[in-house]
Amino acid sequence: ARSGAVGGFVRSAYNIAVLGPTIRPTGDVRTALNKMSADLGINLTGLYGPTYRAGGLWTRGLTVGRSAMINNNGEGSDDVGTWVHETYHYYQQLRQGWAGQFAKGIHEQWWLYPLRGIEVYDYDTYGMKYNESAASYYQNKIYPFLR
């Protein structure tokens, strides 16, 4: 029991320090996520949906496990487009599995984009080919009012 409590404390402390404390979607963000829930057929704002976080040491959007880090390059958590983009990665994770989605993310963002110069976020060129272009497509084509 003691080691379980220590493990839980360490994991919670890590999540809060790196990803930030949990936050709840409100206003336009909640409206957009409710529309996404209906579009994708998954729960995004209630029990068993993702845990949204902001304000940690990590300053970019990131979705890992059930945690969706909503932080637009240090600009905070008010950008509805970032919420939609990162939430779409949660949807991809449900379809591809945790390891599959995470491996594709690393491959796209740490290999294709910086080393090969492929603009993996460019949905006009790549459509749904890459996880990042698919999330950008969903963010900008399905929700054009967010720009």
Side-chain angles (χ1 to χ4, degrees), residues 122-141:
D122 185 355
Y123 59 89
D124 288 328
T125 302
Y126 298 109
M128 304 299 265
K129 181 176 182 177
Y130 300 115
N131 277 358
E132 290 300 341
S133 63
S136 293
Y137 174 84
Y138 196 83
Q139 172 186 349
N140 294 305
K141 293 290 186 178

Side-chain angles (χ1 to χ4, degrees), residues 6 21 31 46 50 63 65 76 81 96 114 126 139-140:
V6 171
T31 301
T63 300
Q96 299 167 6
Y126 298 109
Q139 172 186 349
N140 294 305

Side-chain angles (χ1 to χ4, degrees), residues 1-6:
R2 185 179 305 164
S3 62
V6 171

Side-chain angles (χ1 to χ4, degrees), residues 21 43-44 59 66 90 95-96 106 112 126 130 135:
N43 179 13
L44 296 173
T59 60
R66 284 188 57 212
Y90 175 76
R95 298 295 175 252
Q96 299 167 6
I106 289 172
L112 294 178
Y126 298 109
Y130 300 115

Side-chain angles (χ1 to χ4, degrees), residues 16 19-23 52-56 58 68-71 76-77 83:
I16 291 169
L19 302 176
T22 60
I23 56 175
Y52 296 102
R53 299 177 175 277
W58 189 263
M69 170 57 173
I70 309 297
N71 197 3
S77 60
W83 282 80

Side-chain angles (χ1 to χ4, degrees), residues 57-109:
L57 297 173
W58 189 263
T59 60
R60 298 186 58 195
L62 173 72
T63 300
V64 60
R66 284 188 57 212
S67 290
M69 170 57 173
I70 309 297
N71 197 3
N72 187 18
N73 292 319
E75 297 297 317
S77 60
D78 294 334
D79 179 44
V80 179
T82 301
W83 282 80
V84 169
H85 184 96
E86 292 307 321
T87 300
Y88 194 79
H89 287 314
Y90 175 76
Y91 170 75
Q92 290 171 328
Q93 181 178 273
L94 294 176
R95 298 295 175 252
Q96 299 167 6
W98 180 89
Q101 191 265 349
F102 196 68
K104 285 182 178 197
I106 289 172
H107 179 69
E108 291 175 15
Q109 294 183 31

Side-chain angles (χ1 to χ4, degrees), residues 28-42 44-45 84 87 138 141-146:
D28 291 340
V29 170
R30 187 169 183 83
T31 301
L33 294 182
N34 285 337
K35 183 177 183 328
M36 279 184 78
S37 290
D39 290 348
L40 302 174
I42 60 174
L44 296 173
T45 57
V84 169
T87 300
Y138 196 83
K141 293 290 186 178
I142 305 300
Y143 292 92
F145 64 89
L146 299 175

